[in-house]
Amino acid sequence: MQLSLKAFRERNRLRHRLLLGITALLGVLFAVLQISGFYNLYSRGIRIIGEGSNPSASFLGVITGLHVVHVLGGVIALLIIFVKAYSTRIKTYNSTPLEILSVYWHFVDILWIYLFIFLNLAR
């Protein structure tokens, strides 16, 4: 995302669009892999919510689920900006929406790193 913002500021539209698309694909891939992980847990008899669940599994489900919601929110915002990047009607070079989206993704990254460390130390 940061490289896409840099390319936008340099008015390199092709690189900006490519990096924006890669960022969106990585966000979607993350969400798909999380869902796959939940199905894997379910197939092993670990229930995240409902009957047969335990507090540890439910905590993991809530934390990971909230993170997936944040990632999907970022992907939706990315897709909106991606569509605008390919729009021929808009020719302004206002980087504010990209800067806000970049800060949002940095927040999600920092949150993920915190959760990764926290959950590994909590074992």
Side-chain angles (χ1 to χ4, degrees):
M1 185 65 221
Q2 191 66 34
L3 294 174
S4 176
L5 175 60
K6 182 180 180 219
F8 182 83
R9 288 180 178 155
E10 294 169 352
R11 298 183 188 253
N12 186 344
R13 291 184 66 163
L14 182 62
R15 183 167 168 79
H16 160 66
R17 290 173 178 169
L18 174 69
L19 292 170
L20 204 59
I22 290 171
T23 304
L25 284 174
L26 289 173
V28 169
L29 178 65
F30 173 80
V32 167
L33 289 174
Q34 288 292 13
I35 291 168
S36 173
F38 281 128
Y39 280 123
N40 187 339
L41 290 174
Y42 185 79
S43 70
R44 293 176 182 213
I46 299 171
R47 304 295 181 254
I48 303 296
I49 57 173
E51 188 176 330
S53 68
N54 63 48
S56 296
S58 295
F59 178 74
L60 175 67
V62 169
I63 294 297
T64 308
L66 286 172
H67 187 60
V68 168
V69 168
H70 280 107
V71 169
L72 289 177
V75 168
I76 290 168
L78 271 171
L79 292 175
I80 290 169
I81 289 182
F82 186 77
V83 168
K84 287 184 178 184
Y86 279 93
S87 173
T88 57
R89 294 176 49 221
I90 301 171
K91 293 292 183 187
T92 61
Y93 280 94
N94 181 9
S95 66
T96 303
L98 283 172
E99 290 171 6
I100 291 169
L101 190 57
S102 181
V103 169
Y104 181 86
W105 277 109
H106 287 311
F107 165 75
V108 171
D109 290 340
I110 290 168
L111 182 62
W112 181 86
I113 291 167
Y114 167 77
L115 288 173
F116 182 78
I117 292 169
F118 175 76
L119 293 174
N120 277 309
L121 291 176
R123 285 198 254 170

